[in-house]
Amino acid sequence: MPNHPPQNLTVATTGASGAIFLRQFLAAVERDRRIQTVNFIASDSALRVMAEELGLRGRSNLVNQILGVSPRSSGNRSPRKIRLQSNDDIGANVASGSYPADAMVVIPCSVGTLARIAHGDASHLIERAADVSLKEKRPLVLCVRETPLNKIHIRNMFRAADAGATIFPLIPAFYYRPASLDEMAREFTCRVLAHLGLPQPGAFRWKG
Ligand SMILES: Cc1cc2nc3c(=O)[nH]c(=O)nc-3n(C[C@H](O)[C@H](O)[C@H](O)COP(=O)(O)O)c2cc1C
């Protein structure tokens, strides 16, 4: 059985809008001492969207670029637990059920990736790792983002949920009155982590 709360996370990002959510998510898992290992996979389309939304340039030092950490700056610690895996490498650790991944999050999740996961098309590492999560009955959280949704998207969300995934749409809350986009994305990230059994200090709690 996977560890609860999870210590070994797989985080994937795809070509849907919402790269600031990924940035906040990676920052949170890097901070959280309960998490020991993070295998991180980015699709080619994710790179394209991150170039638009975060101003990223190419794949070099990708994790540092996403987190806004300069490798040359001695004042900033480089992320140590986040290991970048190639989406083309279907021989990577997380491609096998024998590797002890505890949970997987796809943030943001495009409807293209959703469709491939929902139909068991495991030709790239992201979809293969998701497929493994489902077959091993490990938590799989899909932060799907698209609007409006057509019936294919809705059917695929049903198929993935029916197979055991949690559909966790990239729909932030507003009742805590976020002061910035970063705060909005951070609170959303806290909700995803709390769902996995990793409640975050300082997260907003509704008191009624
Ligand atoms: C700037 C930009 C924003 C996009 N936003 C979305 C989106 O919100 N949701 C989505 O499903 N696709 C979106 N797309 C389209 C996907 O990137 C495209 O379908 C891609 O093939 C998905 O590939 P992937 O699932 O392998 O990452 C966007 C593309 C671009 C360039």
Side-chain angles (χ1 to χ4, degrees):
M1 289 298 288
N3 291 307
H4 189 82
Q7 297 171 13
N8 185 328
L9 269 188
T10 305
V11 179
T13 192
T14 68
S17 187
I20 58 165
F21 292 91
L22 170 73
R23 172 175 273 169
Q24 293 294 334
F25 193 82
L26 287 184
V29 298
E30 178 65 16
R31 263 193 317 266
D32 193 321
R33 292 189 178 179
R34 292 166 295 182
I35 302 170
Q36 308 291 316
T37 305
V38 177
N39 287 290
F40 173 58
I41 319 157
S43 73
D44 286 343
S45 308
L47 270 281
R48 177 71 180 81
V49 176
M50 287 192 283
E52 296 294 329
E53 297 187 350
L54 300 181
L56 261 60
R57 292 177 174 213
R59 277 193 182 264
S60 84
N61 290 313
L62 183 61
V63 176
N64 280 325
Q65 285 198 68
I66 294 169
L67 291 173
V69 174
S70 162
R72 278 187 289 277
S73 159
S74 55
N76 284 322
R77 195 170 58 80
S78 290
R80 275 179 281 185
K81 68 172 88 161
I82 304 175
R83 303 179 193 163
L84 183 63
Q85 305 289 351
S86 166
N87 198 26
D88 290 326
D89 184 8
I90 46 81
N93 51 13
V94 293
S96 171
S98 63
Y99 179 76
D102 294 319
M104 177 169 178
V105 176
V106 185
I107 180 168
C109 181
S110 73
V111 290
T113 294
L114 167 71
R116 290 189 292 277
I117 293 171
H119 288 82
D121 174 351
S123 51
H124 283 84
L125 186 61
I126 293 174
E127 292 85 357
R128 170 62 186 167
D131 201 65
V132 167
S133 302
L134 294 176
K135 83 182 174 75
E136 301 294 338
K137 309 253 182 279
R138 296 170 185 163
L140 171 64
V141 176
L142 305 178
C143 299
V144 177
R145 208 232 71 105
E146 187 50 280
T147 194
L149 295 164
N150 66 33
K151 279 194 185 179
I152 297 170
H153 306 148
I154 293 166
R155 283 195 196 102
N156 286 339
M157 283 194 273
F158 176 81
R159 286 180 76 97
D162 199 41
T166 298
I167 304 298
F168 208 121
L170 263 194
I171 302 175
F174 299 96
Y175 48 80
Y176 58 84
R177 301 189 189 184
S180 65
L181 289 178
D182 282 343
E183 189 183 331
M184 181 194 71
R186 194 164 51 245
E187 287 295 339
F188 181 87
T189 291
C190 289
R191 293 293 298 274
V192 175
L193 286 165
H195 181 79
L196 290 171
L198 292 160
Q200 298 296 297
F204 177 85
R205 290 233 174 104
W206 175 253
K207 296 189 183 76

Coordinates of all heavy atoms in Angstrom, one line a residue, residues 11-95:
V11 N 4.6 14.4 -10.2 CA 3.9 15.6 -10.6 C 4.1 15.8 -12.1 O 5.2 15.8 -12.6 CB 4.4 16.9 -9.8 CG1 3.7 18.1 -10.3 CG2 4.3 16.7 -8.3
A12 N 3.0 15.9 -12.8 CA 3.1 16.1 -14.3 C 2.4 17.4 -14.6 O 1.5 17.8 -14.0 CB 2.4 14.9 -15.0
T13 N 2.9 18.0 -15.7 CA 2.3 19.3 -16.2 C 2.1 19.2 -17.7 O 3.0 18.6 -18.4 CB 3.1 20.5 -15.8 OG1 2.3 21.7 -16.0 CG2 4.4 20.6 -16.5
T14 N 1.0 19.7 -18.2 CA 0.6 19.5 -19.6 C 0.2 20.9 -20.2 O 0.3 21.9 -19.5 CB -0.5 18.5 -19.8 OG1 -1.7 19.0 -19.2 CG2 -0.2 17.2 -19.1
G15 N -0.2 20.9 -21.5 CA -0.3 22.1 -22.2 C -1.6 22.8 -22.0 O -2.2 23.4 -22.9
A16 N -2.2 22.8 -20.7 CA -3.3 23.6 -20.4 C -2.9 24.9 -19.8 O -1.8 25.0 -19.1 CB -4.3 22.9 -19.5
S17 N -3.7 25.9 -19.8 CA -3.4 27.2 -19.2 C -3.4 27.0 -17.7 O -4.1 26.1 -17.1 CB -4.5 28.2 -19.6 OG -4.2 29.5 -19.1
G18 N -2.6 27.8 -17.0 CA -2.6 27.7 -15.5 C -1.2 27.4 -14.9 O -1.1 26.7 -13.9
A19 N -0.1 27.8 -15.6 CA 1.2 27.5 -15.2 C 1.5 28.0 -13.8 O 2.3 27.5 -13.0 CB 2.2 28.0 -16.2
I20 N 0.8 29.1 -13.3 CA 1.1 29.6 -12.0 C 0.7 28.6 -10.9 O 1.2 28.6 -9.8 CB 0.5 31.0 -11.7 CG1 -1.0 31.0 -11.9 CG2 1.1 32.1 -12.5 CD1 -1.7 32.2 -11.2
F21 N -0.3 27.8 -11.2 CA -0.7 26.8 -10.3 C 0.4 25.7 -10.1 O 0.7 25.3 -9.0 CB -2.0 26.1 -10.7 CG -3.2 27.0 -10.7 CD1 -3.6 27.8 -11.8 CD2 -4.0 27.1 -9.5 CE1 -4.7 28.6 -11.7 CE2 -5.1 27.9 -9.5 CZ -5.5 28.7 -10.6
L22 N 1.0 25.4 -11.3 CA 2.1 24.4 -11.2 C 3.3 25.1 -10.4 O 3.9 24.4 -9.5 CB 2.6 24.1 -12.6 CG 4.0 23.3 -12.6 CD1 3.7 21.9 -12.1 CD2 4.7 23.4 -13.9
R23 N 3.6 26.3 -10.6 CA 4.7 27.0 -9.9 C 4.4 26.9 -8.4 O 5.3 26.6 -7.6 CB 4.8 28.4 -10.4 CG 5.8 29.3 -9.5 CD 6.0 30.7 -10.1 NE 7.0 30.7 -11.1 CZ 7.2 31.7 -11.9 NH1 6.5 32.8 -11.9 NH2 8.2 31.6 -12.8
Q24 N 3.2 27.2 -8.0 CA 2.9 27.2 -6.5 C 2.9 25.8 -6.0 O 3.3 25.5 -4.9 CB 1.5 27.9 -6.3 CG 1.5 29.3 -6.5 CD 2.4 30.1 -5.6 OE1 2.6 29.7 -4.5 NE2 2.8 31.3 -6.0
F25 N 2.5 24.8 -6.8 CA 2.4 23.4 -6.4 C 3.9 22.9 -6.1 O 4.2 22.3 -5.1 CB 1.7 22.6 -7.4 CG 1.4 21.2 -6.9 CD1 0.3 21.0 -6.1 CD2 2.2 20.1 -7.1 CE1 0.0 19.7 -5.6 CE2 1.9 18.8 -6.6 CZ 0.8 18.7 -5.8
L26 N 4.8 23.2 -7.1 CA 6.1 22.7 -6.9 C 6.8 23.4 -5.8 O 7.6 22.8 -5.0 CB 7.0 23.0 -8.2 CG 6.6 22.0 -9.4 CD1 7.6 22.3 -10.6 CD2 6.7 20.6 -9.1
A27 N 6.5 24.7 -5.6 CA 7.1 25.4 -4.4 C 6.6 24.8 -3.1 O 7.4 24.6 -2.2 CB 6.8 26.9 -4.5
A28 N 5.4 24.4 -3.1 CA 4.8 23.8 -1.8 C 5.4 22.4 -1.5 O 5.8 22.1 -0.4 CB 3.3 23.7 -1.9
V29 N 5.6 21.6 -2.6 CA 6.1 20.2 -2.3 C 7.6 20.3 -2.0 O 8.1 19.5 -1.2 CB 5.8 19.2 -3.5 CG1 4.4 19.0 -3.7 CG2 6.5 19.7 -4.8
E30 N 8.3 21.3 -2.6 CA 9.7 21.5 -2.2 C 9.8 21.9 -0.8 O 10.8 21.5 -0.1 CB 10.3 22.6 -3.2 CG 11.7 22.9 -2.9 CD 12.7 21.7 -3.2 OE1 12.3 20.8 -3.9 OE2 13.9 21.9 -2.7
R31 N 8.9 22.7 -0.3 CA 8.9 23.1 1.1 C 8.5 22.1 2.1 O 9.0 22.0 3.2 CB 7.9 24.3 1.3 CG 8.5 25.7 1.2 CD 7.4 26.7 1.7 NE 6.1 26.5 1.3 CZ 5.6 27.1 0.2 NH1 6.3 27.9 -0.5 NH2 4.3 26.9 -0.1
D32 N 7.6 21.2 1.7 CA 7.0 20.2 2.6 C 7.9 19.1 3.0 O 8.3 18.3 2.1 CB 5.7 19.7 2.0 CG 4.8 18.9 3.0 OD1 5.4 18.2 3.9 OD2 3.6 19.1 2.9
R33 N 8.4 19.0 4.3 CA 9.4 18.1 4.6 C 8.8 16.6 4.7 O 9.6 15.7 4.8 CB 10.0 18.4 6.0 CG 10.8 19.7 5.9 CD 11.5 19.9 7.2 NE 12.3 21.1 7.0 CZ 13.0 21.6 8.0 NH1 13.1 21.0 9.1 NH2 13.7 22.7 7.8
R34 N 7.5 16.5 4.7 CA 7.0 15.1 4.7 C 7.2 14.5 3.3 O 7.2 13.2 3.2 CB 5.5 15.2 5.0 CG 5.2 15.6 6.4 CD 3.7 16.0 6.6 NE 3.3 17.1 5.8 CZ 2.1 17.7 5.8 NH1 1.2 17.2 6.5 NH2 1.9 18.8 5.0
I35 N 7.4 15.3 2.3 CA 7.6 14.7 0.9 C 9.1 14.6 0.7 O 9.8 15.5 0.8 CB 6.9 15.7 -0.1 CG1 5.4 15.8 0.1 CG2 7.2 15.1 -1.5 CD1 4.8 16.9 -0.7
Q36 N 9.5 13.3 0.4 CA 10.9 13.0 0.2 C 11.4 13.2 -1.3 O 12.5 13.6 -1.5 CB 11.2 11.6 0.6 CG 10.7 11.2 2.0 CD 11.5 12.0 3.1 OE1 12.7 12.0 3.0 NE2 10.8 12.5 4.1
T37 N 10.5 12.7 -2.2 CA 10.9 12.6 -3.6 C 9.8 13.1 -4.5 O 8.6 12.8 -4.2 CB 11.2 11.1 -3.9 OG1 12.1 10.6 -3.0 CG2 11.7 11.0 -5.4
V38 N 10.1 13.9 -5.5 CA 9.1 14.3 -6.5 C 9.7 14.0 -7.9 O 10.8 14.5 -8.2 CB 8.8 15.8 -6.4 CG1 7.8 16.3 -7.5 CG2 8.3 16.2 -5.0
N39 N 9.0 13.1 -8.6 CA 9.4 12.9 -10.0 C 8.5 13.8 -10.9 O 7.3 13.8 -10.7 CB 9.2 11.5 -10.4 CG 10.3 10.6 -9.8 OD1 11.4 10.7 -10.2 ND2 9.9 9.8 -8.8
F40 N 9.1 14.7 -11.6 CA 8.4 15.8 -12.3 C 8.5 15.6 -13.9 O 9.6 15.4 -14.4 CB 9.0 17.1 -11.9 CG 8.4 18.3 -12.7 CD1 7.0 18.5 -12.8 CD2 9.3 19.1 -13.4 CE1 6.5 19.6 -13.5 CE2 8.8 20.2 -14.2 CZ 7.4 20.4 -14.2
I41 N 7.4 15.6 -14.5 CA 7.3 15.4 -16.0 C 6.6 16.5 -16.7 O 5.5 16.8 -16.2 CB 6.6 14.0 -16.4 CG1 7.0 12.9 -15.4 CG2 6.9 13.6 -17.8 CD1 5.9 11.8 -15.3
A42 N 7.1 17.1 -17.7 CA 6.4 18.1 -18.5 C 6.3 17.7 -19.9 O 7.2 17.3 -20.6 CB 7.2 19.4 -18.4
S43 N 5.0 17.8 -20.5 CA 4.8 17.6 -21.9 C 5.4 18.7 -22.7 O 5.7 19.8 -22.2 CB 3.3 17.4 -22.2 OG 2.7 18.7 -22.2
D44 N 5.6 18.4 -24.0 CA 6.2 19.5 -24.9 C 5.2 20.7 -24.9 O 5.6 21.8 -24.9 CB 6.3 18.9 -26.3 CG 7.5 18.0 -26.4 OD1 8.4 18.1 -25.5 OD2 7.6 17.3 -27.4
S45 N 3.9 20.4 -25.0 CA 2.9 21.5 -25.0 C 3.0 22.3 -23.7 O 2.7 23.6 -23.7 CB 1.5 21.0 -25.2 OG 1.5 20.1 -26.3
A46 N 3.3 21.7 -22.6 CA 3.4 22.4 -21.3 C 4.5 23.5 -21.5 O 4.4 24.6 -21.0 CB 3.7 21.5 -20.2
L47 N 5.6 23.1 -22.1 CA 6.7 24.1 -22.3 C 6.2 25.3 -23.1 O 6.6 26.4 -22.8 CB 7.9 23.4 -23.1 CG 8.9 22.7 -22.3 CD1 9.9 23.7 -21.7 CD2 8.4 21.8 -21.1
R48 N 5.4 25.0 -24.1 CA 4.9 26.1 -25.0 C 4.0 27.0 -24.1 O 4.2 28.3 -24.2 CB 4.1 25.5 -26.1 CG 3.4 26.5 -27.0 CD 4.4 27.2 -27.9 NE 3.8 28.1 -28.8 CZ 3.4 29.4 -28.5 NH1 3.7 29.8 -27.2 NH2 2.9 30.2 -29.3
V49 N 3.2 26.5 -23.3 CA 2.3 27.3 -22.5 C 3.1 28.1 -21.4 O 2.9 29.2 -21.1 CB 1.1 26.5 -21.9 CG1 0.3 27.3 -21.0 CG2 0.3 25.9 -23.0
M50 N 4.0 27.4 -20.8 CA 4.9 28.0 -19.8 C 5.7 29.2 -20.3 O 6.0 30.1 -19.6 CB 5.7 27.0 -19.0 CG 4.9 26.1 -18.1 SD 6.0 25.1 -17.0 CE 6.5 23.8 -18.1
A51 N 6.1 29.0 -21.6 CA 6.8 30.1 -22.3 C 5.9 31.4 -22.3 O 6.3 32.5 -22.0 CB 7.2 29.7 -23.7
E52 N 4.6 31.1 -22.6 CA 3.7 32.3 -22.7 C 3.4 32.8 -21.3 O 3.3 34.0 -21.1 CB 2.3 31.8 -23.2 CG 2.3 31.3 -24.7 CD 2.6 32.4 -25.6 OE1 2.3 33.6 -25.4 OE2 3.3 32.1 -26.7
E53 N 3.1 31.9 -20.3 CA 2.5 32.4 -19.0 C 3.6 32.7 -18.0 O 3.3 33.5 -17.1 CB 1.6 31.3 -18.5 CG 0.4 31.1 -19.5 CD -0.7 30.2 -18.9 OE1 -0.4 29.5 -17.9 OE2 -1.7 30.1 -19.5
L54 N 4.8 32.1 -18.1 CA 5.8 32.3 -17.1 C 7.1 32.9 -17.7 O 8.0 33.2 -17.0 CB 6.2 31.0 -16.3 CG 5.1 30.3 -15.6 CD1 5.7 29.0 -14.9 CD2 4.5 31.1 -14.5
G55 N 7.1 33.0 -19.0 CA 8.3 33.6 -19.7 C 9.4 32.6 -19.7 O 10.6 33.1 -19.8
L56 N 9.2 31.3 -19.6 CA 10.2 30.3 -19.6 C 10.9 30.3 -21.0 O 10.3 30.5 -22.0 CB 9.7 28.9 -19.3 CG 9.8 28.5 -17.9 CD1 9.2 29.5 -16.9 CD2 9.3 27.1 -17.7
R57 N 12.2 29.9 -21.0 CA 13.0 29.7 -22.2 C 13.6 28.4 -22.3 O 14.6 28.1 -21.6 CB 14.1 30.8 -22.3 CG 13.5 32.2 -22.5 CD 14.6 33.2 -22.5 NE 14.1 34.5 -22.8 CZ 14.7 35.4 -23.5 NH1 15.9 35.2 -23.9 NH2 14.1 36.6 -23.7
G58 N 13.0 27.5 -23.0 CA 13.5 26.1 -23.2 C 13.4 25.3 -22.0 O 12.8 25.6 -21.0
R59 N 14.1 24.1 -22.1 CA 14.0 23.1 -21.0 C 15.2 23.2 -20.0 O 15.1 22.5 -19.0 CB 14.0 21.7 -21.6 CG 12.6 21.2 -22.1 CD 12.7 19.7 -22.4 NE 11.4 19.3 -22.9 CZ 10.4 18.8 -22.1 NH1 10.6 18.6 -20.8 NH2 9.3 18.4 -22.6
S60 N 16.2 24.0 -20.4 CA 17.4 23.9 -19.5 C 17.0 24.5 -18.1 O 16.4 25.5 -18.0 CB 18.6 24.6 -20.1 OG 18.5 25.9 -19.9
N61 N 17.5 23.9 -17.1 CA 17.2 24.3 -15.7 C 15.7 24.5 -15.5 O 15.3 25.5 -14.9 CB 18.0 25.6 -15.3 CG 19.4 25.3 -15.2 OD1 19.9 24.4 -14.5 ND2 20.2 26.2 -15.8
L62 N 14.9 23.5 -16.1 CA 13.5 23.8 -16.1 C 12.9 24.0 -14.7 O 12.1 24.9 -14.5 CB 12.8 22.6 -16.8 CG 11.3 22.7 -17.0 CD1 11.0 23.9 -17.8 CD2 10.7 21.4 -17.6
V63 N 13.2 23.2 -13.8 CA 12.6 23.3 -12.4 C 13.0 24.6 -11.8 O 12.1 25.3 -11.2 CB 13.0 22.1 -11.5 CG1 12.4 22.3 -10.1 CG2 12.5 20.8 -12.1
N64 N 14.2 25.0 -11.9 CA 14.7 26.3 -11.4 C 13.9 27.5 -12.1 O 13.5 28.4 -11.5 CB 16.2 26.5 -11.6 CG 17.0 25.8 -10.5 OD1 16.5 25.7 -9.4 ND2 18.1 25.3 -10.9
Q65 N 13.8 27.3 -13.4 CA 13.0 28.4 -14.2 C 11.6 28.5 -13.7 O 11.1 29.6 -13.5 CB 13.0 28.0 -15.7 CG 14.2 28.3 -16.4 CD 13.9 28.3 -17.9 OE1 13.3 29.2 -18.4 NE2 14.4 27.3 -18.7
I66 N 10.9 27.3 -13.5 CA 9.5 27.4 -13.0 C 9.5 28.0 -11.6 O 8.6 28.8 -11.3 CB 8.9 25.9 -13.0 CG1 8.9 25.4 -14.4 CG2 7.6 25.9 -12.3 CD1 8.5 23.9 -14.5
L67 N 10.4 27.6 -10.7 CA 10.4 28.1 -9.4 C 10.9 29.5 -9.3 O 10.8 30.2 -8.2 CB 11.1 27.2 -8.4 CG 10.5 25.8 -8.2 CD1 11.5 24.9 -7.4 CD2 9.2 25.9 -7.5
G68 N 11.5 30.0 -10.4 CA 12.1 31.4 -10.3 C 13.4 31.4 -9.5 O 13.7 32.5 -8.9
V69 N 14.1 30.3 -9.5 CA 15.4 30.2 -8.8 C 16.5 30.3 -9.8 O 16.6 29.6 -10.7 CB 15.5 28.9 -8.0 CG1 16.9 28.7 -7.4 CG2 14.4 28.7 -7.0
S70 N 17.4 31.3 -9.5 CA 18.6 31.4 -10.4 C 19.7 30.4 -9.9 O 20.1 30.5 -8.8 CB 19.1 32.8 -10.4 OG 20.4 32.8 -10.9
P71 N 20.2 29.5 -10.8 CA 21.2 28.6 -10.4 C 22.5 29.3 -10.0 O 23.3 28.8 -9.2 CB 21.4 27.6 -11.6 CG 20.8 28.3 -12.7 CD 19.8 29.3 -12.2
R72 N 22.7 30.5 -10.5 CA 24.0 31.3 -10.3 C 23.9 32.0 -9.0 O 24.9 32.5 -8.4 CB 24.3 32.2 -11.4 CG 25.0 31.5 -12.6 CD 25.4 32.5 -13.6 NE 24.3 33.1 -14.3 CZ 23.7 32.5 -15.4 NH1 24.1 31.4 -15.8 NH2 22.7 33.1 -16.0
S73 N 22.7 32.2 -8.4 CA 22.5 33.0 -7.2 C 22.8 32.1 -6.0 O 22.1 31.2 -5.7 CB 21.1 33.5 -7.2 OG 20.8 33.8 -5.9
S74 N 23.9 32.4 -5.3 CA 24.2 31.5 -4.1 C 23.2 31.7 -3.0 O 23.1 30.8 -2.2 CB 25.6 31.9 -3.7 OG 25.6 33.3 -3.4
G75 N 22.5 32.8 -3.0 CA 21.5 33.0 -2.0 C 20.3 32.0 -2.1 O 19.6 31.7 -1.1
N76 N 20.0 31.6 -3.3 CA 18.9 30.7 -3.5 C 19.3 29.2 -3.5 O 20.2 28.9 -4.2 CB 18.2 31.0 -4.9 CG 17.4 32.3 -4.8 OD1 16.7 32.6 -3.8 ND2 17.5 33.1 -5.8
R77 N 18.6 28.4 -2.8 CA 18.9 27.0 -2.8 C 18.2 26.3 -4.0 O 17.0 26.5 -4.2 CB 18.3 26.4 -1.5 CG 18.9 25.0 -1.1 CD 18.5 24.6 0.3 NE 17.0 24.7 0.4 CZ 16.2 23.7 0.0 NH1 16.7 22.6 -0.6 NH2 14.9 23.8 0.2
S78 N 18.9 25.5 -4.7 CA 18.3 24.8 -5.8 C 17.4 23.7 -5.3 O 17.8 23.1 -4.3 CB 19.4 24.2 -6.7 OG 20.1 25.2 -7.4
P79 N 16.3 23.4 -6.0 CA 15.4 22.3 -5.5 C 16.2 21.0 -5.6 O 16.8 20.7 -6.5 CB 14.3 22.4 -6.5 CG 14.7 23.2 -7.7 CD 15.8 24.1 -7.2
R80 N 16.1 20.3 -4.5 CA 16.9 19.0 -4.4 C 16.0 17.8 -4.5 O 16.5 16.8 -5.0 CB 17.7 19.0 -3.1 CG 19.0 19.7 -3.2 CD 19.7 19.6 -1.9 NE 19.2 20.6 -1.0 CZ 19.7 20.9 0.2 NH1 20.7 20.2 0.6 NH2 19.2 21.8 1.0
K81 N 14.8 17.9 -4.1 CA 14.0 16.6 -4.2 C 13.2 16.5 -5.5 O 12.7 15.4 -5.7 CB 13.0 16.6 -3.0 CG 11.9 17.6 -3.0 CD 10.9 17.4 -1.9 CE 11.3 18.2 -0.7 NZ 10.1 18.3 0.2
I82 N 13.2 17.5 -6.3 CA 12.4 17.4 -7.6 C 13.3 16.9 -8.7 O 14.3 17.6 -9.1 CB 11.8 18.8 -7.9 CG1 10.9 19.3 -6.8 CG2 11.0 18.7 -9.2 CD1 10.4 20.7 -7.0
R83 N 13.0 15.7 -9.2 CA 13.8 15.1 -10.3 C 13.0 15.2 -11.6 O 11.9 14.7 -11.7 CB 14.0 13.6 -10.0 CG 14.7 13.3 -8.7 CD 14.8 11.8 -8.6 NE 15.2 11.5 -7.2 CZ 15.1 10.2 -6.7 NH1 14.6 9.3 -7.5 NH2 15.4 10.0 -5.5
L84 N 13.6 15.8 -12.6 CA 13.0 15.9 -13.9 C 13.1 14.6 -14.7 O 14.2 14.0 -14.8 CB 13.6 17.1 -14.7 CG 13.0 17.4 -16.0 CD1 11.6 17.9 -15.9 CD2 13.9 18.5 -16.7
Q85 N 11.9 14.1 -15.2 CA 11.9 12.9 -16.0 C 11.5 13.3 -17.4 O 10.6 14.2 -17.5 CB 11.0 11.9 -15.4 CG 11.2 11.5 -14.0 CD 12.5 10.7 -13.8 OE1 13.1 10.2 -14.7 NE2 12.9 10.5 -12.5
S86 N 12.0 12.6 -18.4 CA 11.6 12.9 -19.8 C 10.2 12.3 -20.1 O 10.1 11.1 -19.9 CB 12.7 12.5 -20.8 OG 12.1 12.5 -22.1
N87 N 9.4 13.0 -20.7 CA 8.1 12.5 -21.1 C 8.2 11.4 -22.2 O 7.3 10.6 -22.4 CB 7.1 13.6 -21.6 CG 5.7 13.2 -21.6 OD1 5.3 12.3 -20.8 ND2 4.9 13.8 -22.4
D88 N 9.4 11.4 -22.9 CA 9.6 10.4 -23.9 C 10.2 9.1 -23.4 O 10.3 8.1 -24.1 CB 10.6 10.9 -25.0 CG 10.0 12.1 -25.8 OD1 8.8 12.0 -26.1 OD2 10.8 13.0 -26.1
D89 N 10.6 9.1 -22.1 CA 11.3 8.0 -21.5 C 10.3 7.0 -20.8 O 10.1 7.1 -19.6 CB 12.4 8.4 -20.5 CG 13.2 7.3 -20.0 OD1 13.0 6.1 -20.5 OD2 14.0 7.5 -19.1
I90 N 9.7 6.1 -21.6 CA 8.7 5.2 -21.0 C 9.5 4.1 -20.2 O 8.8 3.2 -19.6 CB 7.8 4.6 -22.0 CG1 8.4 4.1 -23.3 CG2 6.7 5.6 -22.4 CD1 9.1 2.7 -23.1
G91 N 10.8 4.2 -20.1 CA 11.6 3.3 -19.2 C 11.9 4.0 -17.9 O 12.7 3.5 -17.1
A92 N 11.4 5.2 -17.6 CA 11.7 5.9 -16.4 C 11.1 5.2 -15.2 O 10.2 4.4 -15.3 CB 11.2 7.4 -16.4
N93 N 11.6 5.5 -14.0 CA 11.1 4.8 -12.8 C 9.6 4.8 -12.6 O 9.0 3.7 -12.4 CB 11.7 5.5 -11.5 CG 11.6 7.0 -11.4 OD1 10.8 7.6 -12.2 ND2 12.3 7.6 -10.5
V94 N 8.9 5.9 -12.8 CA 7.4 6.0 -12.6 C 6.6 5.2 -13.6 O 5.4 5.1 -13.5 CB 6.9 7.4 -12.4 CG1 7.5 8.1 -11.2 CG2 7.3 8.2 -13.7
A95 N 7.3 4.7 -14.7 CA 6.6 3.9 -15.7 C 6.2 2.5 -15.2 O 5.5 1.8 -15.8 CB 7.4 3.8 -16.9

